[in-house]
Amino acid sequence: MQNGQGDYEKLPTSHPFRKHSQNLSALISGLRQAERIHKQMIRQGNEPAVSFSARMHSLMIGMIAEARLRKILFDPQGFNDRERKLIGRERSQIGQWVLAVECAFRRQYEVAMHLEIADPVDPIAVSRYGEIIRMLKDDLAPIIEGRNKVAHGEWVWEEKSKENTFRQAKRPLNYLEIKRRGQLIDSLAEMIHILIVSEPTFQRDFDDLYKKIDAIRPNIDGTDYSNFAIELRASARK
């Protein structure tokens, strides 16, 4: 970051950034427990418990995504009050993430709100902006938005509208699908945080962060889960 860790240490304990940082730390500790329990149920071959653990594991990732975004929003070196209020008015979590990226790019590349991002910005930056937005909407929306379905108890049927019409709920994501999406969220949050605080650092670190993301994405759908589960159960029998 631009001004170093020392500036964060000078923040009063009452500052929202400190509060959101502590919330995030507590959630990350909880995630480790959720992962451990999920793997334990897979080892035991207890399918109802695996299904329940997957929902709790997924819920933790969704909560961590929200906590990460709040920490980014309240970084004293980043967004201002106007930008925070604008992002906060977005009703969906994905909408807030997308708008946070847009505001960060507009800030660092001096793009007025009435202009398209592409207008005054160099093509490489525009390409990077498009990649981040696409990842949010395509790869991460299911787990960021899906936490609401889990938290609201829509485990078998999802309510489509206020007219009491329903559709079959999707199956819970498997362990590898959840874990890899969590890793993507971590790297993407780091990208956005760096971008809003320091555009030169973003330019320097983007390729390394994107390589981490690119290594995860081919297997994001967890098609290797069956082999993973077999190996876990085999290790439990030894």
Side-chain angles (χ1 to χ4, degrees):
M1 302 299 176
Q2 276 179 321
N3 299 324
Q5 187 64 30
D7 285 354
Y8 292 110
E9 293 173 354
K10 295 174 185 176
L11 289 176
T13 57
S14 60
H15 195 283
F17 180 77
R18 282 196 177 277
K19 304 295 187 185
H20 290 303
S21 297
Q22 289 168 5
N23 282 341
L24 178 58
S25 295
L27 285 167
I28 290 171
S29 295
L31 174 62
R32 295 191 191 104
Q33 298 300 319
E35 289 179 336
R36 187 176 295 118
I37 293 168
H38 194 175
K39 288 177 78 172
Q40 182 181 346
M41 295 305 103
I42 296 169
R43 284 191 189 94
Q44 293 177 4
N46 186 336
E47 289 307 318
V50 169
S51 181
F52 174 78
S53 298
R55 288 187 172 97
M56 296 303 102
H57 187 180
S58 181
L59 182 62
M60 289 300 304
I61 295 294
M63 289 191 292
I64 283 173
E66 184 172 357
R68 285 200 182 283
L69 181 57
R70 289 186 181 279
K71 180 179 176 181
I72 292 168
L73 290 177
F74 285 90
D75 189 315
Q77 299 178 31
F79 293 109
N80 58 38
D81 286 340
R82 177 181 172 277
E83 290 164 330
R84 276 192 287 273
K85 289 176 182 176
L86 182 66
I87 294 166
R89 283 201 290 266
E90 282 289 319
R91 295 184 64 184
S92 71
Q93 276 292 302
I94 284 296
Q96 290 184 10
W97 276 88
V98 168
L99 190 52
V101 175
E102 180 183 341
C103 287
F105 265 84
R106 288 187 184 281
R107 162 88 73 87
Q108 296 294 2
Y109 293 98
E110 299 181 346
V111 183
M113 290 300 290
H114 67 281
L115 296 177
E116 294 291 331
I117 291 286
D119 286 351
V121 181
D122 73 87
I124 293 176
V126 172
S127 175
R128 289 172 172 175
Y129 171 78
E131 283 293 302
I132 292 173
I133 297 299
R134 183 175 59 78
M135 279 188 283
L136 279 169
K137 292 182 175 180
D138 293 350
D139 297 333
L140 301 179
I143 203 159
I144 292 175
E145 300 280 277
R147 68 174 282 259
N148 293 330
K149 301 295 183 183
V150 174
H152 293 159
E154 297 180 351
W155 292 17
V156 180
W157 297 99
E158 295 179 0
E159 192 169 5
K160 291 179 64 177
S161 68
K162 299 301 181 183
E163 285 74 39
N164 293 322
T165 57
F166 294 85
R167 64 184 174 195
Q168 188 82 39
K170 295 179 180 178
R171 64 163 180 81
L173 299 176
N174 68 46
Y175 180 91
L176 296 180
E177 288 177 290
I178 298 166
K179 187 170 182 65
R180 288 166 184 163
R181 280 171 170 81
Q183 291 169 337
L184 282 184
I185 289 169
D186 290 346
S187 293
L188 192 56
E190 188 176 353
M191 272 187 182
I192 297 169
H193 203 172
I194 289 172
L195 176 62
I196 188 59
V197 172
S198 173
E199 187 270 337
T201 306
F202 175 80
Q203 294 285 3
R204 185 192 69 204
D205 293 351
F206 179 90
D207 287 340
D208 287 340
L209 285 168
Y210 195 78
K211 284 176 185 175
K212 288 167 62 176
I213 289 171
D214 220 27
I216 297 166
R217 288 182 63 208
N219 297 311
I220 195 172
D221 290 330
T223 53
D224 52 339
Y225 172 76
S226 293
N227 289 336
F228 171 79
I230 289 169
E231 289 174 5
L232 273 183
R233 289 165 188 157
S235 68
R237 291 193 292 268
K238 290 180 180 178

